[in-house]
Every structure is written in structure tokens, then in C-alpha cells.
């Protein structure tokens, strides 16, 4: 077995699910129950226990797919803001073990850029997680460039 290095072990892209956001997804994207869901919703005993067993000091939490990128424009900003506020509250309860990447309301790119800035400057979130496409559109489309420009300005990862 490998020995633990003399530096913190930080796991990136460690997924969780927000119960309010996952309620909006149906069919194959809906929660399925069981052990995986149990882990995705957990921020305490089970997650910390498994982090300790794996030698992980810090997890950078990001909402697993599907995420806010599938939300329609009419609800995306409000729902995503609430998701990020709940993530920040969980991180605040255990900041020595957790950091986070924001979910973004990509259906409205300018609002997504604003949400990224709010999360970084007000909530202490470290960047954002975006999953491949936004409502079926690839994220390299020019309409999404404001998000990347804001991330560059803030010097945070996407």
C-alpha cells in the first residue's frame, strides 16, 4: 500500500446531490435510491468515514450530473442560487474537510457568470462545475463565453 504524502490529499470533482435540485429530474436522470444515492446526499458520517479510509483530507464538492445545466431559463437562476447557498452552508459546517465548485444556471449565461462571481466572492466557492452540455448545447458555443470570461477575471477553474 502507498504511504500518505506529506501534503494534504485533495480530491477534486467529488460529487454530491442537492435534494431540491434532483427532485426536478425524471426518468433515467432521477435519483434511483440505494447506496449511491445515500452517499451522494451525505455530508457527514459516511462521507467523512470514507474520506478518512481513503486518506483524503479535503473534498472539493460539485453537484453531480444532471445539474443546473438542464434547468429551463425561467427557473434556473433561482434554483441554482439556492443550490449553491445550501452547498456553502454544508462547507461552512466543515471547512477543514470540504470546499466546493458552484453549479451554474447556464440557460442564462450572463446570469451564470454573475452567479459564479457571487459564489466566489461572497460564499468562498472555489470555481464551478459544468457537465459537457447545457440543455443539449456544447459549452464552447459563443453564447457561453461570458461564463468563461468571468472565470478568467476571477482566476478560478471551470
Amino acid at each position: 500500500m502507498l504511504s500518505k504524502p506529506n501534503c494534504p490529499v485533495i480530491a477534486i470533482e467529488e460529487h454530491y446531490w442537492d435534494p431540491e435540485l434532483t427532485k426536478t429530474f425524471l426518468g433515467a436522470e432521477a435519483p434511483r435510491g440505494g447506496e449511491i444515492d445515500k452517499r451522494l446526499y451525505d455530508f457527514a458520517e459516511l462521507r467523512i468515514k470514507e474520506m478518512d479510509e481513503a486518506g483524503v483530507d479535503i473534498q472539493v464538492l460539485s453537484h453531480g450530473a444532471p445539474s443546473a445545466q438542464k434547468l429551463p431559463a425561467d427557473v434556473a437562476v433561482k434554483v441554482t442560487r439556492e443550490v449553491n447557498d445550501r452547498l456553502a452552508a454544508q462547507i461552512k459546517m466543515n471547512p477543514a474537510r470540504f470546499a466546493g465548485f458552484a453549479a451554474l444556471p447556464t440557460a442564462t449565461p450572463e446570469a451564470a457568470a454573475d452567479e459564479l462571481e457571487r459564489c466566489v466572492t461572497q460564499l468562498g466557492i472555489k470555481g464551478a462545475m459544468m457537465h459537457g452540455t447545457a440543455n443539449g448545447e456544447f459549452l464552447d458555443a459563443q453564447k457561453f463565453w461570458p461564463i468563461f470570461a468571468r472565470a478568467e477575471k476571477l482566476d478560478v477553474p471551470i
Side-chain angles (χ1 to χ4, degrees):
M1 177 166 187
L2 296 174
S3 61
K4 188 165 170 31
N6 292 328
C7 63
V9 174
I10 302 171
I12 306 285
E13 195 177 344
E14 295 298 305
H15 292 315
Y16 79 98
W17 273 356
D18 178 273
E20 295 303 312
L21 179 54
T22 57
K23 271 196 245 183
T24 66
F25 300 112
L26 305 171
E29 294 178 334
R32 293 163 199 81
E35 288 300 313
I36 291 176
D37 284 14
K38 182 174 152 183
R39 284 167 170 77
L40 287 168
Y41 292 118
D42 180 77
F43 289 96
E45 290 180 35
L46 182 58
R47 187 177 292 263
I48 297 293
K49 176 183 172 285
E50 291 181 349
M51 287 171 65
D52 290 343
E53 288 171 355
V56 172
D57 297 301
I58 301 169
Q59 283 190 348
V60 181
L61 301 167
S62 56
H63 199 281
S67 189
Q69 290 166 229
K70 297 240 178 163
L71 294 173
D74 62 330
V75 299
V77 174
K78 179 184 183 303
V79 170
T80 305
R81 182 180 183 94
E82 293 168 354
V83 166
N84 290 326
D85 287 345
R86 285 189 290 272
L87 174 60
Q90 288 293 339
I91 293 167
K92 189 175 182 179
M93 288 172 37
N94 201 344
R97 300 304 300 268
F98 298 130
F101 285 148
L104 297 178
T106 53
T108 54
E110 281 296 334
D114 292 344
E115 179 62 4
L116 174 62
E117 186 161 346
R118 181 187 82 88
C119 287
V120 170
T121 62
Q122 295 177 27
L123 302 180
I125 300 289
K126 306 301 182 192
M129 169 62 68
M130 297 196 309
H131 302 278
T133 63
N135 286 324
E137 292 184 78
F138 287 105
L139 296 170
D140 60 353
Q142 190 169 359
K143 74 185 249 180
F144 298 113
W145 290 5
I147 300 167
F148 297 107
R150 192 72 57 91
E152 181 179 24
K153 176 185 162 211
L154 295 166
D155 194 27
V156 296
I158 296 284

